[in-house]
Amino acid sequence: MAADTSIDMSLWQGRTDPEPDSDRWHQRIEPLANNAAPGCALLGFESDAGVARNQGRTGAAEGPNALRRALAPLAWHRTAPVYDAGNVRCVDDGLEAAQHALADRLTALLTAGHLPIVLGGGHEVAYASWLGLAQFFMPEASASKETGPEGLAPRIGIINLDAHFDLRDPAHIRSSGTPFAQIADQCQKHGWSFRYACLGVSRAANTRALFKRANALGTLIREDREIDALSLDSIVRDVQRFIAKCDHLYLTIDLDVLPAAEAPGVSAPAARGVSLALIEPLVVAVRDSGKLRLADLAELNPSLDIDGRTARAAARLVHLLTLDN
């Protein structure tokens, strides 16, 4: 089962400064209303059913509201509006129902002209996010098939900042470890190309079978050990070349891509990881491409967080993603 939760604006609290032009997020974010002008819409996904199925440490269902609290006091540097669109909650083990409910909400937000950013929740959110984007493009793709043999299937690029491929076989069980395999299956079903980049992969955390599957799917792979200050410019260019072959981008950030010292509050903290300072230029490359249609952040687990480090890192990433001036 899935449930929609009402918008709780009481989460948005923080200091108020007396100086002019000193607004913070809690002063500027608005509850999403019908016919709202296009802006950025934050939608929570209260789920860790996929993490539980994946035998991980649960608690990520509390992530969306913790992330809102961390965002609330940050300085406001946008010109366009930001809206709180509430949460979709996974009830018990009703993961598939929750994923479809989130997908439908995302399709509606995209249709209204918003840039949705989903606040997770376990990384099972990725399948729901992609499904919402696919539903948005489906009518266009279906119509195009009538106009020519090649159709105009949407060239959606998925950029995953993650220590894990999340390409496990969903035939066994669908979980936080299977979303991109599920997406690949759906792409094959629709005759769409599967365009996947996974950056920050830990060789220690992914089996040889997963590396083989990723390579067979044509995945752009950059391991955590490859991403450092000396290689960063080259990797940004790799990402830009990947982006150039796509019409639309879906960015998904699993917070376990960060080192455990920066992101302790995740299901599987990274022994090495990729620092926030190195992740940020990759996020900027996606943001500034003009092709970003949807983003999500996954695996924030407040019950495991230390001093709010993970929530603060996640909030900074959302802040960075939404800068428009």
Side-chain angles (χ1 to χ4, degrees):
M1 297 176 61
D4 285 346
T5 60
S6 59
I7 300 169
D8 182 3
M9 296 304 291
S10 70
L11 296 166
W12 297 97
Q13 297 185 22
R15 65 178 292 170
T16 300
D17 297 317
E19 297 88 356
D21 201 21
S22 298
D23 284 352
R24 298 175 185 273
W25 273 64
H26 70 92
Q27 295 169 277
R28 299 297 296 269
I29 193 161
E30 307 169 45
L32 182 67
N34 293 333
N35 302 317
C40 176
L42 305 182
L43 177 61
F45 188 52
E46 296 180 335
S47 170
D48 53 20
V51 175
R53 293 183 188 185
N54 203 28
Q55 301 179 37
R57 301 187 297 174
T58 57
E62 305 302 320
N65 289 346
L67 184 39
R68 286 180 172 95
R69 293 188 186 96
L71 265 171
L74 296 191
W76 180 264
H77 289 278
R78 278 180 60 84
T79 54
V82 175
Y83 306 105
D84 190 332
N87 292 340
V88 172
R89 177 186 298 152
C90 178
V91 179
D92 299 324
D93 188 48
L95 176 57
E96 288 74 18
Q99 287 173 320
H100 281 89
L102 183 70
D104 290 344
R105 291 282 301 277
L106 288 172
T107 301
L109 290 172
L110 289 161
T111 301
H114 300 300
L115 170 67
I117 297 181
V118 185
L119 314 178
H123 213 180
E124 62 266 26
V125 68
Y127 180 62
S129 290
W130 182 87
L131 189 61
L133 193 59
Q135 289 175 172
F136 174 69
F137 287 115
M138 200 73 72
E140 175 184 323
S142 298
S144 72
K145 289 180 181 178
E146 301 174 3
T147 64
E150 296 185 20
L152 289 174
R155 299 191 304 168
I156 301 172
I158 303 167
I159 298 179
N160 181 24
L161 305 179
D162 198 341
H164 305 90
F165 285 122
D166 291 340
L167 283 169
R168 292 180 181 173
D169 186 353
H172 301 291
I173 188 170
R174 289 169 289 186
S175 72
S176 61
T178 64
F180 302 105
Q182 292 175 262
I183 293 169
D185 288 347
Q186 287 296 309
C187 285
Q188 184 178 33
K189 176 182 176 182
H190 295 308
W192 298 0
S193 57
F194 178 64
R195 302 167 186 270
Y196 182 42
C198 193
L199 313 174
V201 174
S202 166
R203 186 164 289 264
N206 294 267
T207 63
R208 282 188 293 183
L210 289 171
F211 270 92
K212 288 178 181 177
R213 186 170 298 151
N215 283 312
L217 289 167
T219 305
L220 170 62
I221 302 168
R222 292 295 177 266
E223 295 185 38
D224 52 7
R225 59 184 178 175
E226 296 179 83
I227 305 176
D228 57 29
L230 293 177
S231 67
L232 184 60
D233 287 346
S234 174
I235 291 173
V236 168
R237 288 193 293 272
D238 291 340
V239 171
Q240 290 170 333
R241 282 190 286 269
F242 176 88
I243 290 172
K245 297 177 182 178
C246 305
D247 298 320
H248 314 284
L249 296 177
Y250 158 42
L251 173 66
T252 179
I253 304 173
D254 188 323
L255 295 165
D256 72 16
V257 73
L258 298 169
E262 295 182 15
V266 295
S267 175
R272 184 190 191 282
V274 182
S275 72
L276 186 61
L278 297 173
I279 289 293
E280 285 187 341
L282 303 176
V283 171
V284 168
V286 176
R287 183 198 69 193
D288 291 350
S289 68
K291 298 180 179 182
L292 181 63
R293 306 291 177 255
L294 171 65
D296 61 41
L297 292 91
E299 300 284 346
L300 171 58
N301 187 330
S303 67
L304 301 172
D305 210 358
I306 300 171
D307 295 332
R309 291 179 202 168
T310 316
R312 290 173 186 271
R316 182 177 172 92
L317 287 168
V318 173
H319 184 267
L320 182 68
L321 261 177
T322 57
L323 286 177
D324 64 2
N325 65 348

Short mmCIF file of all heavy atoms in Angstrom, two decimals, residues 173-214:
data_model
loop_
_atom_site.label_atom_id
_atom_site.label_comp_id
_atom_site.label_asym_id
_atom_site.label_seq_id
_atom_site.Cartn_x
_atom_site.Cartn_y
_atom_site.Cartn_z
N ILE A 173 14.23 -10.76 -6.16
CA ILE A 173 13.47 -9.87 -5.29
C ILE A 173 13.77 -8.43 -5.73
O ILE A 173 14.90 -8.11 -6.12
CB ILE A 173 13.85 -10.07 -3.80
CG1 ILE A 173 12.90 -9.27 -2.90
CG2 ILE A 173 15.31 -9.70 -3.54
CD1 ILE A 173 13.05 -9.61 -1.42
N ARG A 174 12.75 -7.61 -5.74
CA ARG A 174 12.93 -6.20 -6.10
C ARG A 174 13.19 -5.40 -4.84
O ARG A 174 12.40 -5.46 -3.88
CB ARG A 174 11.68 -5.70 -6.84
CG ARG A 174 11.55 -6.29 -8.23
CD ARG A 174 10.21 -6.01 -8.86
NE ARG A 174 9.16 -6.79 -8.20
CZ ARG A 174 7.89 -6.83 -8.62
NH1 ARG A 174 7.52 -6.13 -9.68
NH2 ARG A 174 7.00 -7.55 -7.97
N SER A 175 14.29 -4.66 -4.85
CA SER A 175 14.75 -4.01 -3.63
C SER A 175 15.51 -2.74 -3.97
O SER A 175 15.52 -2.29 -5.13
CB SER A 175 15.66 -4.98 -2.86
OG SER A 175 16.92 -5.12 -3.52
N SER A 176 16.18 -2.19 -2.97
CA SER A 176 17.03 -1.02 -3.21
C SER A 176 18.26 -1.37 -4.03
O SER A 176 18.97 -0.48 -4.49
CB SER A 176 17.45 -0.39 -1.88
OG SER A 176 18.21 -1.31 -1.11
N GLY A 177 18.51 -2.66 -4.22
CA GLY A 177 19.66 -3.09 -5.01
C GLY A 177 19.35 -3.43 -6.46
O GLY A 177 20.24 -3.83 -7.20
N THR A 178 18.08 -3.24 -6.88
CA THR A 178 17.69 -3.65 -8.23
C THR A 178 17.17 -2.56 -9.16
O THR A 178 16.81 -2.86 -10.30
CB THR A 178 16.59 -4.73 -8.14
OG1 THR A 178 15.40 -4.16 -7.54
CG2 THR A 178 17.04 -5.93 -7.34
N PRO A 179 17.06 -1.28 -8.74
CA PRO A 179 16.29 -0.35 -9.57
C PRO A 179 16.80 -0.17 -10.99
O PRO A 179 16.00 -0.05 -11.92
CB PRO A 179 16.37 0.97 -8.79
CG PRO A 179 17.55 0.84 -7.91
CD PRO A 179 17.59 -0.61 -7.54
N PHE A 180 18.12 -0.18 -11.19
CA PHE A 180 18.61 0.09 -12.53
C PHE A 180 18.52 -1.14 -13.43
O PHE A 180 18.39 -1.00 -14.65
CB PHE A 180 20.02 0.68 -12.45
CG PHE A 180 20.04 1.93 -11.63
CD1 PHE A 180 20.56 1.92 -10.34
CD2 PHE A 180 19.48 3.10 -12.10
CE1 PHE A 180 20.52 3.06 -9.54
CE2 PHE A 180 19.43 4.24 -11.33
CZ PHE A 180 19.95 4.22 -10.04
N ALA A 181 18.52 -2.32 -12.84
CA ALA A 181 18.21 -3.51 -13.63
C ALA A 181 16.74 -3.49 -14.05
O ALA A 181 16.40 -3.86 -15.18
CB ALA A 181 18.52 -4.77 -12.81
N GLN A 182 15.87 -3.04 -13.15
CA GLN A 182 14.45 -2.91 -13.50
C GLN A 182 14.26 -1.89 -14.61
O GLN A 182 13.46 -2.09 -15.54
CB GLN A 182 13.64 -2.51 -12.27
CG GLN A 182 13.56 -3.56 -11.19
CD GLN A 182 12.85 -3.05 -9.95
OE1 GLN A 182 13.47 -2.64 -8.98
NE2 GLN A 182 11.52 -3.04 -9.99
N ILE A 183 14.99 -0.79 -14.54
CA ILE A 183 14.90 0.24 -15.57
C ILE A 183 15.40 -0.30 -16.91
O ILE A 183 14.79 -0.07 -17.96
CB ILE A 183 15.69 1.49 -15.15
CG1 ILE A 183 15.02 2.15 -13.94
CG2 ILE A 183 15.79 2.49 -16.31
CD1 ILE A 183 15.86 3.23 -13.29
N ALA A 184 16.52 -1.03 -16.87
CA ALA A 184 17.04 -1.62 -18.10
C ALA A 184 16.03 -2.55 -18.73
O ALA A 184 15.85 -2.55 -19.96
CB ALA A 184 18.35 -2.36 -17.81
N ASP A 185 15.34 -3.33 -17.92
CA ASP A 185 14.31 -4.23 -18.44
C ASP A 185 13.18 -3.44 -19.08
O ASP A 185 12.67 -3.82 -20.15
CB ASP A 185 13.75 -5.10 -17.31
CG ASP A 185 14.73 -6.16 -16.83
OD1 ASP A 185 15.73 -6.40 -17.52
OD2 ASP A 185 14.48 -6.74 -15.75
N GLN A 186 12.76 -2.35 -18.44
CA GLN A 186 11.69 -1.54 -19.00
C GLN A 186 12.12 -0.86 -20.30
O GLN A 186 11.32 -0.74 -21.24
CB GLN A 186 11.24 -0.49 -17.98
CG GLN A 186 10.44 -1.06 -16.82
CD GLN A 186 9.13 -1.65 -17.26
OE1 GLN A 186 8.35 -1.02 -17.97
NE2 GLN A 186 8.88 -2.90 -16.85
N CYS A 187 13.36 -0.42 -20.36
CA CYS A 187 13.86 0.19 -21.61
C CYS A 187 13.82 -0.82 -22.75
O CYS A 187 13.41 -0.50 -23.88
CB CYS A 187 15.28 0.71 -21.40
SG CYS A 187 15.40 2.24 -20.45
N GLN A 188 14.24 -2.04 -22.47
CA GLN A 188 14.19 -3.08 -23.49
C GLN A 188 12.76 -3.34 -23.93
O GLN A 188 12.49 -3.50 -25.13
CB GLN A 188 14.82 -4.37 -22.95
CG GLN A 188 14.90 -5.49 -23.99
CD GLN A 188 15.59 -6.73 -23.43
OE1 GLN A 188 15.47 -7.03 -22.25
NE2 GLN A 188 16.31 -7.43 -24.28
N LYS A 189 11.83 -3.35 -22.97
CA LYS A 189 10.42 -3.59 -23.28
C LYS A 189 9.88 -2.51 -24.22
O LYS A 189 9.09 -2.81 -25.14
CB LYS A 189 9.63 -3.63 -21.98
CG LYS A 189 8.13 -3.78 -22.17
CD LYS A 189 7.41 -3.75 -20.82
CE LYS A 189 5.90 -3.80 -20.99
NZ LYS A 189 5.20 -3.73 -19.68
N HIS A 190 10.28 -1.25 -23.98
CA HIS A 190 9.76 -0.14 -24.77
C HIS A 190 10.58 0.13 -26.04
O HIS A 190 10.19 0.98 -26.85
CB HIS A 190 9.73 1.14 -23.93
CG HIS A 190 8.79 1.08 -22.77
ND1 HIS A 190 7.47 0.73 -22.89
CD2 HIS A 190 8.99 1.33 -21.44
CE1 HIS A 190 6.89 0.76 -21.70
NE2 HIS A 190 7.79 1.12 -20.80
N GLY A 191 11.69 -0.57 -26.20
CA GLY A 191 12.55 -0.31 -27.34
C GLY A 191 13.36 0.96 -27.19
O GLY A 191 13.77 1.57 -28.18
N TRP A 192 13.60 1.37 -25.94
CA TRP A 192 14.40 2.56 -25.66
C TRP A 192 15.82 2.14 -25.34
O TRP A 192 16.06 1.06 -24.81
CB TRP A 192 13.84 3.33 -24.48
CG TRP A 192 12.46 3.86 -24.65
CD1 TRP A 192 11.65 3.74 -25.75
CD2 TRP A 192 11.70 4.61 -23.68
NE1 TRP A 192 10.45 4.35 -25.53
CE2 TRP A 192 10.45 4.90 -24.27
CE3 TRP A 192 11.96 5.05 -22.39
CZ2 TRP A 192 9.46 5.61 -23.60
CZ3 TRP A 192 10.98 5.77 -21.72
CH2 TRP A 192 9.74 6.05 -22.32
N SER A 193 16.77 3.01 -25.62
CA SER A 193 18.15 2.73 -25.23
C SER A 193 18.32 2.96 -23.73
O SER A 193 17.69 3.86 -23.15
CB SER A 193 19.12 3.61 -26.02
OG SER A 193 18.83 4.98 -25.82
N PHE A 194 19.16 2.14 -23.11
CA PHE A 194 19.47 2.27 -21.69
C PHE A 194 20.80 2.98 -21.58
O PHE A 194 21.84 2.45 -21.96
CB PHE A 194 19.52 0.88 -21.05
CG PHE A 194 19.89 0.90 -19.58
CD1 PHE A 194 19.07 1.50 -18.65
CD2 PHE A 194 21.05 0.28 -19.13
CE1 PHE A 194 19.39 1.51 -17.29
CE2 PHE A 194 21.39 0.27 -17.78
CZ PHE A 194 20.56 0.89 -16.86
N ARG A 195 20.78 4.20 -21.10
CA ARG A 195 21.97 5.05 -21.02
C ARG A 195 22.26 5.30 -19.54
O ARG A 195 21.54 6.07 -18.90
CB ARG A 195 21.75 6.36 -21.77
CG ARG A 195 21.39 6.16 -23.24
CD ARG A 195 20.86 7.44 -23.89
NE ARG A 195 20.40 7.20 -25.23
CZ ARG A 195 21.17 7.30 -26.32
NH1 ARG A 195 22.43 7.69 -26.19
NH2 ARG A 195 20.67 7.04 -27.51
N TYR A 196 23.31 4.67 -19.05
CA TYR A 196 23.54 4.64 -17.60
C TYR A 196 24.99 4.96 -17.31
O TYR A 196 25.91 4.38 -17.89
CB TYR A 196 23.18 3.25 -17.08
CG TYR A 196 23.31 3.05 -15.58
CD1 TYR A 196 22.89 4.01 -14.67
CD2 TYR A 196 23.83 1.86 -15.07
CE1 TYR A 196 22.99 3.80 -13.31
CE2 TYR A 196 23.93 1.63 -13.70
CZ TYR A 196 23.51 2.60 -12.82
OH TYR A 196 23.61 2.40 -11.47
N ALA A 197 25.20 5.90 -16.40
CA ALA A 197 26.53 6.22 -15.89
C ALA A 197 26.51 6.05 -14.38
O ALA A 197 25.62 6.59 -13.71
CB ALA A 197 26.92 7.65 -16.26
N CYS A 198 27.46 5.30 -13.86
CA CYS A 198 27.54 5.09 -12.42
C CYS A 198 28.92 5.57 -11.95
O CYS A 198 29.95 5.00 -12.35
CB CYS A 198 27.32 3.62 -12.06
SG CYS A 198 27.04 3.34 -10.30
N LEU A 199 28.93 6.60 -11.15
CA LEU A 199 30.17 7.26 -10.75
C LEU A 199 30.37 7.13 -9.25
O LEU A 199 29.46 7.43 -8.48
CB LEU A 199 30.11 8.74 -11.13
CG LEU A 199 29.63 9.07 -12.55
CD1 LEU A 199 29.49 10.57 -12.73
CD2 LEU A 199 30.58 8.48 -13.59
N GLY A 200 31.56 6.65 -8.86
CA GLY A 200 31.86 6.47 -7.45
C GLY A 200 31.74 5.03 -6.99
O GLY A 200 31.73 4.75 -5.80
N VAL A 201 31.69 4.11 -7.95
CA VAL A 201 31.50 2.70 -7.65
C VAL A 201 32.66 2.15 -6.81
O VAL A 201 33.83 2.42 -7.09
CB VAL A 201 31.39 1.89 -8.96
CG1 VAL A 201 31.33 0.40 -8.67
CG2 VAL A 201 30.17 2.32 -9.74
N SER A 202 32.31 1.38 -5.81
CA SER A 202 33.31 0.68 -4.99
C SER A 202 33.49 -0.74 -5.50
O SER A 202 32.53 -1.52 -5.51
CB SER A 202 32.87 0.66 -3.53
OG SER A 202 33.65 -0.26 -2.79
N ARG A 203 34.70 -1.10 -5.91
CA ARG A 203 34.94 -2.46 -6.37
C ARG A 203 34.75 -3.46 -5.23
O ARG A 203 34.33 -4.60 -5.44
CB ARG A 203 36.35 -2.58 -6.96
CG ARG A 203 36.66 -3.94 -7.59
CD ARG A 203 37.89 -3.87 -8.47
NE ARG A 203 37.62 -3.12 -9.69
CZ ARG A 203 37.29 -3.68 -10.85
NH1 ARG A 203 37.16 -4.99 -10.96
NH2 ARG A 203 37.08 -2.93 -11.92
N ALA A 204 35.01 -3.02 -4.01
CA ALA A 204 34.86 -3.91 -2.86
C ALA A 204 33.40 -4.21 -2.56
O ALA A 204 33.09 -5.21 -1.90
CB ALA A 204 35.53 -3.29 -1.64
N ALA A 205 32.49 -3.36 -3.02
CA ALA A 205 31.08 -3.49 -2.67
C ALA A 205 30.22 -4.05 -3.81
O ALA A 205 29.00 -4.16 -3.66
CB ALA A 205 30.52 -2.15 -2.24
N ASN A 206 30.84 -4.39 -4.94
CA ASN A 206 30.11 -4.91 -6.10
C ASN A 206 30.80 -6.16 -6.61
O ASN A 206 32.01 -6.16 -6.85
CB ASN A 206 30.06 -3.86 -7.22
CG ASN A 206 29.25 -2.63 -6.85
OD1 ASN A 206 28.07 -2.54 -7.12
ND2 ASN A 206 29.93 -1.67 -6.22
N THR A 207 30.04 -7.21 -6.79
CA THR A 207 30.61 -8.49 -7.22
C THR A 207 31.06 -8.43 -8.68
O THR A 207 30.68 -7.52 -9.44
CB THR A 207 29.58 -9.61 -7.08
OG1 THR A 207 28.47 -9.33 -7.96
CG2 THR A 207 29.09 -9.72 -5.64
N ARG A 208 31.82 -9.43 -9.08
CA ARG A 208 32.24 -9.52 -10.48
C ARG A 208 31.03 -9.65 -11.40
O ARG A 208 31.02 -9.11 -12.51
CB ARG A 208 33.19 -10.71 -10.68
CG ARG A 208 34.60 -10.43 -10.20
CD ARG A 208 35.56 -11.53 -10.57
NE ARG A 208 35.26 -12.77 -9.86
CZ ARG A 208 35.99 -13.88 -9.96
NH1 ARG A 208 37.05 -13.90 -10.76
NH2 ARG A 208 35.67 -14.96 -9.28
N ALA A 209 30.00 -10.36 -10.93
CA ALA A 209 28.79 -10.50 -11.74
C ALA A 209 28.16 -9.14 -12.03
O ALA A 209 27.67 -8.89 -13.14
CB ALA A 209 27.79 -11.41 -11.03
N LEU A 210 28.18 -8.24 -11.04
CA LEU A 210 27.59 -6.92 -11.24
C LEU A 210 28.43 -6.08 -12.19
O LEU A 210 27.89 -5.33 -13.01
CB LEU A 210 27.43 -6.21 -9.89
CG LEU A 210 26.34 -6.80 -8.99
CD1 LEU A 210 26.40 -6.17 -7.60
CD2 LEU A 210 24.96 -6.60 -9.60
N PHE A 211 29.75 -6.18 -12.09
CA PHE A 211 30.60 -5.47 -13.05
C PHE A 211 30.36 -5.99 -14.47
O PHE A 211 30.30 -5.21 -15.43
CB PHE A 211 32.08 -5.62 -12.66
CG PHE A 211 32.57 -4.53 -11.74
CD1 PHE A 211 32.54 -4.70 -10.37
CD2 PHE A 211 33.07 -3.34 -12.24
CE1 PHE A 211 32.99 -3.70 -9.51
CE2 PHE A 211 33.52 -2.33 -11.40
CZ PHE A 211 33.48 -2.52 -10.03
N LYS A 212 30.22 -7.30 -14.61
CA LYS A 212 29.95 -7.88 -15.94
C LYS A 212 28.62 -7.37 -16.48
O LYS A 212 28.50 -7.02 -17.67
CB LYS A 212 29.95 -9.40 -15.85
CG LYS A 212 31.33 -10.01 -15.66
CD LYS A 212 31.23 -11.53 -15.52
CE LYS A 212 32.60 -12.16 -15.29
NZ LYS A 212 32.52 -13.63 -15.09
N ARG A 213 27.60 -7.33 -15.62
CA ARG A 213 26.29 -6.85 -16.07
C ARG A 213 26.36 -5.39 -16.45
O ARG A 213 25.79 -4.96 -17.48
CB ARG A 213 25.25 -7.07 -14.97
CG ARG A 213 23.82 -6.73 -15.38
CD ARG A 213 22.83 -7.21 -14.32
NE ARG A 213 22.89 -8.66 -14.18
CZ ARG A 213 22.62 -9.32 -13.07
NH1 ARG A 213 22.27 -8.66 -11.98
NH2 ARG A 213 22.69 -10.62 -13.02
N ALA A 214 27.07 -4.58 -15.65
CA ALA A 214 27.20 -3.16 -15.97
C ALA A 214 27.90 -2.96 -17.31
O ALA A 214 27.48 -2.14 -18.13
CB ALA A 214 27.97 -2.46 -14.85
#
